[in-house]
Amino acid sequence: MAERRNIVHMDLDSFFVSVERLYDSRLMGKPILIGGSGDRGVVASCSYEARKFGVHSAMPMRTARQLCPEALQIRGDFAKYSQKSNEITEIVRESVPLFEKASIDEFYVDYTGMDRFFGCYKMAQELRQKIIKESGLPISLGLSQNKTVSKVATGEAKPNNEKQIPYGQEKLFLAPLSVRKIPMIGKKTSHTLYNMGVKKIHTLQAMPAELLESAFGKNGLMIWEKANGIDRSLITPYSEAKSISTENTFEQDTIDVALLEATLTAMTEQLAGKLRQQQKLASTVSVKIRYSDFDTHTVQRRVSYTSADHVLLPLIKALFQQLYQRRLLIRLIGVRFSGLVHGHYQINLFEDTEERISLYQALDRLNGKYGDKTVCRAIGMSVGSRKFNPFNGKEN
């Protein structure tokens, strides 16, 4: 008989807002909007006081201000948030045998097998209290036999609380909830379900899996399984060592700066696309050059977690200009992103507009469906696309 799993999901409550309040107690109890200051900016995070007015993350800032005119608007400091995230990651790392960092403010912990020695829920509660005490930040948790149910349980526990779903009670717990509570169901899928007359999870549970498969393809089966409390996905162990990189050795050594920059642009776009595809964010960028005499130099810089082309490209170009001092023929150039964590591009919204977010989503869909460089910047079109393993930088 398979061992019962014990999976904890932990999520810091309104993380960006909570960090700001840690540094400025005058913000306590007030409606807060964090995000881009322009009319076309987007809400990166908002307080529970603002949510009462219908404000939510990823909403256009102008809409949020209309809904909640009295809200205080803060531009946000991603470096500060990254630092607090690292502090909490260290607390979790010291306390548990296996964990996954799903994003800057979200963790999964695998306590499977630990209940024969200690109570898993008690251990999870103690970890939560340790995080609150040492970081000063509110955090909620859910415990169940899988990642999906635990994540939903965390959502139901918020703010700053905890919820356990006993083994065998998963379907019963999910049944009365809105279909939007299922992690993979977004606005478009939920709209289709509403048109089918499906608003609550209990309706999904009663539907044949084949019907959902015919409506949504293979995702339909995943929706049916999650609605029924089934999720076999494993914890992805957190590791700071992972990196993503690629190199290009030129057929002929070159000093053509236009060609070198075009190659860097193409490689950066390709790697950033892979980051978003893998739902990862990088905190360090590196550029490497090898001259014709095989003299090799590398320079790197730490950045706030990102996977956005428009953030990474200027950095890569600046590092290349810093590095390329000898004006000798170049044999090879390379780009590496490291210090990776799991997370979505959308968590970094301070400078983003609705149009930019939509652009990245459309770009990634097209390149994912039709292959790398289906859509890319014009400067990179002259550089051929090369298939490579993004986590070792070697061509396949």
Side-chain angles (χ1 to χ4, degrees), residues 93 99-101 236-243 280 339-342:
R93 191 206 306 271
F99 76 100
E100 172 182 331
K101 187 170 184 176
T236 304
Y238 176 68
S239 171
E240 291 180 341
K242 283 186 178 176
S243 65
K280 291 181 185 290
L340 306 186
V341 297
H342 281 272

Side-chain angles (χ1 to χ4, degrees), residues 76-323:
D77 182 347
F78 208 83
K80 191 159 59 179
Y81 308 147
S82 298
Q83 180 187 346
K84 292 304 290 185
S85 175
N86 290 339
E87 286 178 22
I88 291 156
T89 303
E90 286 308 308
I91 296 171
V92 176
R93 191 206 306 271
E94 292 168 1
S95 307
V96 303
L98 178 63
F99 76 100
E100 172 182 331
K101 187 170 184 176
S103 71
I104 193 171
D105 59 354
E106 186 180 10
F107 302 86
Y108 288 98
V109 177
D110 192 343
Y111 279 126
T112 302
M114 300 294 286
D115 52 349
R116 70 187 66 166
F117 307 110
F118 313 100
C120 291
Y121 193 44
K122 185 174 186 295
M123 286 192 294
Q125 289 173 313
E126 289 173 353
L127 174 58
R128 176 173 166 261
Q129 289 302 324
K130 184 178 182 182
I131 290 170
I132 292 169
K133 182 180 178 182
E134 294 188 16
S135 73
L137 297 172
I139 187 168
S140 297
L141 72 80
L143 169 64
S144 79
Q145 67 158 323
N146 64 55
K147 293 168 81 171
T148 294
V149 177
S150 294
K151 185 176 174 71
V152 177
T154 301
E156 293 302 292
K158 283 176 173 284
N160 201 24
N161 216 325
E162 51 207 25
K163 192 173 188 69
Q164 179 182 16
I165 310 304
Y167 187 82
Q169 299 293 308
E170 297 82 11
K171 281 184 69 172
L172 196 63
F173 161 66
L174 294 170
L177 304 178
S178 164
V179 293
R180 283 300 300 269
K181 298 282 187 178
I182 297 175
M184 70 180 293
I185 294 182
K187 188 183 293 185
K188 187 177 177 182
T189 304
S190 63
H191 185 68
T192 305
L193 287 169
Y194 293 163
N195 288 339
M196 294 167 65
V198 180
K199 293 186 177 180
K200 300 290 185 181
I201 294 177
H202 66 77
T203 311
L204 275 179
Q205 292 174 345
M207 293 172 72
E210 296 76 19
L211 179 58
L212 287 169
E213 186 178 17
S214 65
F216 300 103
K218 63 180 181 181
N219 282 342
L221 285 175
M222 288 180 66
I223 291 171
W224 184 88
E225 287 191 341
K226 287 177 182 290
N228 282 278
I230 301 167
D231 180 3
R232 303 175 189 84
S233 60
L234 302 175
I235 297 290
T236 304
Y238 176 68
S239 171
E240 291 180 341
K242 283 186 178 176
S243 65
I244 180 171
S245 65
T246 186
E247 297 177 347
N248 184 73
T249 302
F250 296 101
E251 291 183 10
Q252 289 187 324
D253 298 351
T254 183
I255 202 170
D256 183 344
V257 174
L259 172 63
L260 293 166
E261 290 205 352
T263 305
L264 284 170
T265 298
M267 290 195 297
T268 302
E269 281 187 324
Q270 201 173 2
L271 286 176
K274 296 291 182 188
L275 281 178
R276 296 191 295 273
Q277 184 184 336
Q278 298 277 341
Q279 296 185 359
K280 291 181 185 290
L281 301 164
S283 60
T284 304
V285 300
S286 311
V287 174
K288 171 182 175 180
I289 61 174
R290 179 170 295 148
Y291 292 104
S292 54
D293 61 0
F294 284 85
D295 187 22
T296 304
H297 297 265
T298 304
V299 65
Q300 69 178 36
R301 183 181 300 173
R302 286 192 62 82
V303 296
S304 294
Y305 289 116
T306 187
S307 60
D309 300 9
H310 71 278
V311 175
L312 293 164
L313 276 167
L315 281 168
I316 293 296
K317 289 179 180 178
L319 289 176
F320 172 70
Q321 288 163 6
Q322 176 187 334
L323 201 56

